[in-house]
Amino acid sequence: MVVPAQGGAQAIPAMINGDIDFAIGQPFGPFRADLQNLGVVIIGNYASSYADGDDINAVVASAKSGITRPAQLAGRKVSVNSLGAAGDVTIIAAVEKDGGDPTKVKFVEVAFPDAPAQLAAGNIDAAWVTEPFITQMRKRGDVLLVAPYQATVPGLTTLTTITSSNLKAPTPLWWRTSRRR
């Protein structure tokens, strides 16, 4: 059964409770879960950003906002799909790298499909979005500011496959017996 979740971090409690066996999400959720000894393990890389060219996500600002570069996000409302994950972490790095004060960025949680309408309504000044929203927003005149993954770590692992350590396979019998020889 496939169960939708806004992000991997939101799926972790369901996995720990045994409601789901596996999740796909950003690596930050499993890292935090590991720090709390919750028994969550990464079992593989699922996707990575592009090292160059058009990336898999970007920060897009309203044309009305006057924002043209990452440093200008300081003091502004920026949406991410999940707080405390790759979006805000990499945007903070991009703002700092561009000479802005990342502590002044006001992050709000908005699902990707809702971000274009929230930006158009003026409820946020910029949005971290994926395709097809990047293209849609640019076509209506909004401004692509930065691909934060590329600005931070080109080719960054963006999604991992995770499970509970209770489900992680034990050492196979062939490995245990071959080591005795």
Side-chain angles (χ1 to χ4, degrees):
M1 167 175 37
V2 175
V3 179
Q6 181 65 15
Q10 288 82 357
I12 288 174
M15 195 173 44
I16 291 170
N17 292 334
D19 297 332
I20 60 174
D21 294 326
F22 300 94
I24 296 170
Q26 299 171 351
F28 294 96
F31 292 160
R32 287 189 179 106
D34 183 57
L35 291 172
Q36 297 173 39
N37 295 315
L38 295 177
V40 175
V41 293
I42 294 174
I43 57 174
N45 182 18
Y46 188 81
S48 298
S49 70
Y50 301 125
D52 52 42
D54 291 339
D55 206 359
I56 60 173
N57 60 51
V59 177
V60 179
S62 166
K64 299 176 208 167
S65 71
I67 301 170
T68 58
R69 46 188 281 228
Q72 295 171 323
L73 294 173
R76 304 296 186 104
K77 243 189 237 185
V78 180
S79 72
V80 292
N81 72 315
S82 179
L83 294 170
D88 46 356
V89 170
T90 56
I91 292 167
I92 286 169
V95 167
E96 186 172 39
K97 188 175 183 179
D98 193 42
D101 183 352
T103 65
K104 304 267 192 241
V105 179
K106 300 169 192 160
F107 290 103
V108 295
E109 194 169 279
V110 176
F112 290 135
D114 298 331
Q118 292 296 313
L119 191 64
N123 296 328
I124 55 177
D125 300 299
W128 180 62
V129 291
T130 61
E131 288 294 359
F133 310 111
I134 297 168
T135 298
Q136 291 170 359
M137 295 164 80
R138 291 181 76 189
K139 281 184 180 177
R140 72 180 190 197
D142 295 323
V143 180
L144 191 146
L145 297 179
V146 65
Y149 289 168
Q150 289 176 348
T152 307
V153 180
L156 178 70
T157 294
T158 57
L159 294 173
T160 56
T161 306
I162 58 177
T163 192
S164 163
S165 59
N166 296 336
L167 288 179
K168 193 172 84 172
T171 306
L173 180 60
W174 66 266
W175 175 258
R176 289 180 295 201
T177 56
S178 68
R179 302 286 293 171
R180 287 191 219 148
R181 294 180 191 165

